[in-house]
Amino acid sequence: MPEPAEKATELFRQMNKNRRDVFKAYQGFTASIKKGSAIEDKYQSLILIACSILSQCDMCISLHVQNAAVHGATKDEIIDAGLLAVAMGGSPRMMYMRYVYQEVEKLFD
């Protein structure tokens, strides 16, 4: 079974193949947000982890946990970012912490 990040990569390939114009516009939009941001990459990734949990997207969680680690976030920072989402979203969002823990175990343990 493919990993969530691999599933997301495959989805991106499909979108790029079928609607390159839309996919490129979306990529440009997100790149422009990052480019002019006053928020460092590590903190953007931590925020996106919390947003991914609130959105209940396992593929997004996987990608953003990996990205946070690449940008220097610690295991504890990643877990705490996830827990902030749980605090806002309650127990249904807590179930998505399993994806955070899965990625953290692969990256840090």
Side-chain angles (χ1 to χ4, degrees):
M1 180 176 213
E3 296 289 326
E6 292 169 347
K7 290 191 291 186
T9 300
E10 181 56 32
L11 172 63
F12 298 155
R13 277 192 209 108
Q14 291 281 332
M15 290 174 63
N16 193 40
K17 178 182 174 185
N18 293 302
R19 284 303 305 268
R20 184 172 178 80
D21 58 332
V22 173
F23 186 64
K24 289 297 178 186
Y26 174 76
Q27 285 182 311
F29 171 70
T30 57
S32 68
I33 293 168
K34 287 184 64 82
K35 183 179 179 184
S37 180
I39 301 170
E40 296 174 32
D41 289 339
K42 176 176 110 171
Y43 299 109
Q44 286 184 26
S45 296
L46 293 169
I47 291 167
L48 289 169
I49 290 167
C51 291
S52 297
I53 290 172
L54 289 170
S55 298
Q56 298 177 298
C57 179
D58 63 323
M59 290 184 281
C60 298
I61 293 166
S62 178
L63 291 171
H64 294 304
V65 168
Q66 290 176 27
N67 203 35
V70 165
H71 286 101
T74 66
K75 177 180 178 178
D76 290 338
E77 288 173 322
I78 291 167
I79 291 169
D80 284 353
L83 291 174
L84 287 169
V86 171
M88 291 298 295
S91 61
R93 298 318 188 261
M94 188 181 302
M95 301 304 116
Y96 284 82
M97 281 297 294
R98 74 183 177 127
Y99 299 111
V100 173
Y101 288 119
Q102 286 172 354
E103 290 301 320
V104 163
E105 286 174 10
K106 287 190 284 188
L107 295 168
F108 292 96
D109 294 339

